[in-house]
Amino acid sequence: MFATVMSLGFTACSSDDDEPENPQNDISQFANPTMADEAARFTITDADAPYSSVELTESGRYVVLSSANAQYLAPYQTKSKCQFASLNPAQSRSGADGIFTGKYTKVSEGKYILEGFGSITVTTGSSQEACELIICPENGTEIKLGAQKDEVLANDPTTLALCRSWKCKQYRARFTVNGNVVYDRSADFKDLSNLSKQIGQDIYNFVKKNGGDVEEMGSPSDCEPDFSDLADEMIFTKTGSYLLFLNGQLSANIWRWGNKNEREIRYSHNILDIQDPDYSGNAWLTFSGTQLIVYECHTENDDEVTMKEESWTTLFEIK
């Protein structure tokens, strides 16, 4: 968006911007996730095993990854620009490609039924981290595999408030140039295509009003942003992963607290890039009532022009 606006050569003008306000943070309405005590991720250590990891999330959802697709979950080997709610097409996979997900239930100590997959039994070894997994796929043969229980983030109230399954409800996008609002629009996730059309028209009108080159710009449809890769569901876990879901596709990323007191997180496709601004991002969280609002802001300065791109993603817990 920055490059598009700058290339059109409009005349900068004075500010008419009123800064939007975020609601006050309040996590009091969020009970602990239903399966917070069971949540864990097991990385399988046996060579030539058919699976590479099994994760039981705080919200009662599991993710089983086949060995053939291990490269598509963290830590990723490829570098790519990361945006908070956007699936990475190169790393998105469905269950048919070896990523299985669904609800799980605990039937006894260490034994879990994975809906649509089968069952697993966890037996701890000589240490708390080393263990054995007995995996019994539906219509398959039981196998025993060595595994390692991964480390988790600290078990504090803010982390627990975040680590659950979320449904993306609303998306708000805002873009300003020298404080002048180019667009400030919001829509439910089911109406993102119409939101894109409205923003395209807003950009066209703004550039035309401020003396930009509308012939180079083309039509309003040429200015429409692409929201087709925005996830409609996501899961955060204490192992530091967050999973994005859209139309049967799954894309996995990693997250860490940047400044927990400010509820700032950092996220990336690769743990090695978590501090690299070219391949990671920052987002700020606000818990309000029973919803989570994720705010992002990107600013760029070019000579006498300051551009700010902001977004607010509103999510509700999936129970």
Side-chain angles (χ1 to χ4, degrees):
M1 185 60 66
F2 295 122
T4 300
V5 173
M6 286 303 299
S7 68
L8 300 176
F10 58 86
T11 302
C13 49
S14 60
S15 171
D16 61 6
D17 183 22
D18 291 322
E19 287 291 332
E21 294 183 0
N22 285 326
Q24 292 295 312
N25 185 70
D26 178 15
I27 64 173
S28 64
Q29 300 300 310
F30 290 93
N32 283 353
T34 55
M35 303 297 282
D37 293 338
E38 307 301 326
R41 182 173 64 199
F42 305 96
T43 297
I44 294 169
T45 55
D46 285 5
D48 301 321
Y51 308 104
S52 63
S53 65
V54 175
E55 181 156 18
L56 307 176
T57 74
E58 288 77 2
S59 56
R61 194 160 179 173
Y62 73 86
V63 178
V64 176
L65 178 66
S66 71
S67 296
N69 284 292
Q71 61 180 307
Y72 297 109
L73 288 183
Y76 295 127
Q77 302 303 311
T78 57
K79 287 181 176 287
S80 58
K81 183 63 178 176
C82 189
Q83 294 183 323
F84 172 74
S86 298
L87 275 76
N88 186 333
Q91 295 169 334
S92 299
R93 291 295 183 271
S94 66
D97 293 319
I99 294 177
F100 307 91
T101 184
K103 294 182 179 179
Y104 74 90
T105 55
K106 180 180 180 179
V107 293
S108 61
E109 189 61 36
K111 184 172 183 178
Y112 306 88
I113 300 297
L114 280 50
E115 185 179 285
F117 177 78
S119 68
I120 67 164
T121 302
V122 182
T123 304
T124 56
S126 56
S127 69
Q128 288 294 320
E129 291 76 25
C131 58
E132 180 184 69
L133 297 185
I134 302 174
I135 300 179
C136 187
E138 291 182 348
N139 304 317
T141 303
E142 176 183 294
I143 55 174
K144 296 181 179 181
L145 299 170
Q148 191 82 5
K149 188 176 181 180
D150 295 346
E151 294 183 2
V152 297
L153 301 174
N155 201 25
D156 62 89
T158 305
T159 301
L160 279 177
L162 175 62
C163 292
R164 60 191 71 217
S165 294
W166 299 95
K167 180 72 175 178
C168 301
K169 173 63 176 176
Q170 189 179 68
Y171 185 77
R172 177 183 174 189
R174 173 181 167 95
F175 192 89
T176 60
V177 177
N178 286 352
N180 294 278
V181 178
V182 180
Y183 59 80
D184 188 349
R185 299 275 187 176
S186 61
D188 287 348
F189 265 69
K190 62 184 179 182
D191 199 26
L192 289 178
S193 60
N194 188 49
L195 176 65
S196 179
K197 291 183 175 66
Q198 292 173 338
I199 290 176
Q201 186 66 59
D202 288 342
I203 295 172
Y204 184 91
N205 293 343
F206 179 86
V207 174
K208 184 177 181 180
K209 175 183 176 181
N210 289 280
D213 189 345
V214 292
E215 290 188 3
E216 179 181 346
M217 181 168 46
S219 67
S221 62
D222 296 318
C223 304
E224 295 175 9
D226 182 10
F227 295 138
S228 62
D229 62 349
L230 290 182
D232 57 12
E233 291 185 19
M234 58 183 68
I235 299 175
F236 282 84
T237 78
K238 287 191 299 182
T239 58
S241 63
Y242 80 95
L243 311 174
L244 305 178
F245 299 86
L246 177 65
N247 299 327
Q249 296 292 303
L250 181 153
S251 178
N253 307 290
I254 60 102
W255 75 276
R256 295 292 186 270
W257 287 114
N259 184 333
K260 189 184 296 184
N261 292 332
E262 298 294 330
R263 301 178 307 283
E264 175 199 2
I265 62 171
R266 293 198 62 81
Y267 60 88
S268 178
H269 294 309
N270 190 322
I271 187 61
L272 300 178
D273 295 329
I274 196 71
Q275 298 297 332
D276 187 334
D278 291 331
Y279 300 105
S280 64
N282 297 62
W284 288 263
L285 312 177
T286 301
F287 298 90
S288 178
T290 58
Q291 67 184 22
L292 168 64
I293 301 171
V294 181
Y295 171 72
E296 288 191 273
C297 179
H298 304 280
T299 302
E300 186 168 308
N301 297 292
D302 192 325
D303 294 329
E304 298 180 356
V305 177
T306 299
M307 295 172 288
K308 181 189 287 187
E309 186 175 19
E310 302 168 277
S311 68
W312 293 258
T313 305
T314 302
L315 310 98
F316 289 84
E317 182 182 5
I318 300 174
K319 296 184 177 181

